[in-house]
Amino acid sequence: MSVDHLHALLGLPAVDFQSGSDGGPRPAADAAAWRVSIDAYEDEGTWEEEFDAFLAEVDPAGVRALIIGQWGESYEETSSYPIGLVIAAAGRLTSLEAVFVGDLTMEEAEISWIEQSDVTELLGAFPALVELGVRGGSELVFPATRHERLKALTIETGGLPREVVRGVMDSELPSLERLDLWLGVSAYGGDAHVADLAPLLSGTRFPALHHLGLRNSEIQNEIAAALAPAPLVARLRTLDLSCGTLGDEGAAALLEGQPLTHLDVLDLHHHFLTEPMERRVTQALEPHGVRVDLSERCEPWDGRGAAGRYVTVAE
C-alpha cells in the first residue's frame, strides 16, 4: 500500500493551496480541506511564506479544515515549525475544526522519516477541534491531554512509540468516536505492547467510541487475542485490524471470544489467513449482516512462515 495524499478531511475535498494561483476561482474557504505545502527541492520560498499567503488569500475565519503538507526537509525540521505558525494564527482561524499534520507521500518522505513533535499543542490552541490526524512517528509526542470536542484521532506511523500510545490511553477525550492507530514495527520505533492498550480495551476510556482501528502492526495476532474478551468491543460498530500480520491464530481468537455479530464492519484486509480460515470468518459473520473485508491475502516472504509476515507500511 502506498501512502497517498489525503483526498478529504472533515468530509471536505482536499484542495492544494497555491499562492497567487491563476488556475481559476477557488472554492469558498469553508468548502475545502486546504493543503498548504511546499516542494522542499524546487520551491524557493518557505512554508511560512506560503502559509502567510494562504491567510491573506483565503478567508481564515471561514477555514474549517487544514492539511499541513511538506514544510521543508521534513527529516531535518520537525512539525513544531508549521504547528507553531498555525497556533500563532489561532485568533484568525476561528472556525477551524480539523487539522492533519504531515500529509506527505513516500516520494516526499518515507513515513518513518517524517519528524513530528508535540501535536497536542494543537488541541490546546483549538478547543473546537473535532478531528486531528498525524502521519509519522519519529519524535512524535502526545502527552496525556483533555479535550472536550475531539471526535476523531488518527495517528499513522511505521512504528508508534509506546509513550505516545500511553499518552493517548491516558487522555480524557469524552467525545472521541473514532480512533485509528497504526502501530507499525519495532525496527522503526513501534515498541508498544498489548498491555499498553489495557485502558482502551477495558472500556474505561473514551465512552463515545464506536470505531477502533489498531492497524499495520507486527503484533496483530496478540492484539486480536486481547480484543476477543475485551469489554470495549461490545459497543463498537466497526473494528479495523487491517494491514498487519494477522494469521489464522489471531482470527481464531476473535471468533472464539465474544460475539462479533453486532459489528457493521470487520476490516481484516492485508492478512495472512488461510482459505479455510477465511471461510470460517465469513460464515460466522456475514449471515448476521457484518461486512467483512478479507481482501489482499498475503504470503510470507521467502516461505518463512509466521516469521516472514510483514505489515503494509514500515519505513
Side-chain angles (χ1 to χ4, degrees):
M1 178 184 76
S2 61
V3 179
D4 299 321
H5 282 145
L6 294 186
H7 298 294
L9 182 65
L10 198 68
L12 301 170
V15 172
D16 288 297
F17 171 78
Q18 294 180 319
S19 56
S21 174
D22 57 0
R26 293 190 175 108
D30 62 356
W34 296 95
R35 182 185 294 110
V36 180
S37 62
I38 63 169
D39 186 326
Y41 306 102
E42 293 188 10
D43 292 349
E44 294 182 359
T46 65
W47 196 89
E48 181 175 6
E49 291 169 336
E50 191 70 1
F51 185 60
D52 284 344
F54 169 72
L55 296 174
E57 297 178 30
V58 176
D59 177 16
V63 173
R64 299 177 59 210
L66 178 65
I67 301 170
I68 299 175
Q70 189 171 28
W71 56 81
E73 302 241 4
S74 58
Y75 48 87
E76 293 183 354
E77 189 159 26
T78 75
S79 64
S80 62
Y81 164 49
I83 286 174
L85 293 171
V86 172
I87 290 174
R92 302 173 67 186
L93 295 165
T94 52
S95 299
L96 195 64
E97 297 178 71
V99 181
F100 190 96
V101 184
D103 185 29
L104 280 70
T105 66
M106 296 173 69
E107 290 73 24
E108 292 168 319
E110 299 283 0
I111 194 168
S112 293
W113 296 2
I114 301 171
E115 296 290 317
Q116 286 291 348
S117 60
D118 184 351
V119 295
T120 65
E121 292 181 356
L122 288 163
L123 296 175
F126 294 96
L129 217 62
V130 296
E131 289 192 26
L132 177 63
V134 184
R135 181 174 296 161
S138 180
E139 302 300 322
L140 180 62
V141 177
F142 199 107
T145 189
R146 181 175 180 86
H147 194 278
E148 297 295 332
R149 295 194 58 186
L150 192 71
K151 293 183 178 181
L153 174 62
T154 299
I155 304 179
E156 303 175 355
T157 77
L160 188 58
R162 176 185 296 178
E163 289 306 311
V164 173
V165 174
R166 289 177 172 175
V168 173
M169 296 299 105
D170 290 340
S171 291
E172 298 289 338
L173 304 171
S175 299
L176 193 70
E177 298 175 355
R178 301 180 60 85
L179 176 64
D180 281 283
L181 302 177
W182 295 18
L183 297 169
V185 301
S186 56
Y188 288 99
D191 57 355
H193 300 300
V194 169
D196 298 312
L197 300 169
L200 170 68
L201 302 185
S202 71
T204 61
R205 280 286 183 265
F206 318 137
L209 196 73
H210 61 73
H211 166 90
L212 176 63
L214 297 173
R215 312 177 57 201
N216 195 54
S217 176
E218 66 182 357
I219 58 169
Q220 207 73 65
N221 287 306
E222 293 92 328
I223 290 170
L227 280 164
L232 170 71
V233 173
R235 57 183 170 86
L236 295 179
R237 298 205 296 266
T238 58
L239 177 59
D240 187 345
L241 303 179
S242 65
C243 299
T245 59
L246 188 72
D248 282 6
E249 56 271 46
L254 281 175
L255 294 179
E256 293 162 8
Q258 63 190 294
L260 300 175
T261 52
H262 66 288
L263 292 174
D264 294 330
V265 178
L266 176 63
D267 190 344
L268 304 178
H269 81 272
H270 179 102
H271 62 84
F272 294 84
L273 275 60
T274 60
E275 289 188 34
M277 182 55 74
E278 284 188 346
R279 289 194 295 270
R280 184 179 166 191
V281 172
T282 56
Q283 290 169 2
L285 298 177
E286 288 188 346
H288 297 276
V290 183
R291 182 162 57 86
V292 181
D293 187 345
L294 285 166
S295 59
E296 298 180 42
R297 183 195 304 128
C298 303
E299 295 294 330
W301 282 324
D302 302 324
R304 294 168 54 203
R309 295 174 185 172
Y310 50 89
V311 303
T312 300
V313 179
E315 184 181 8

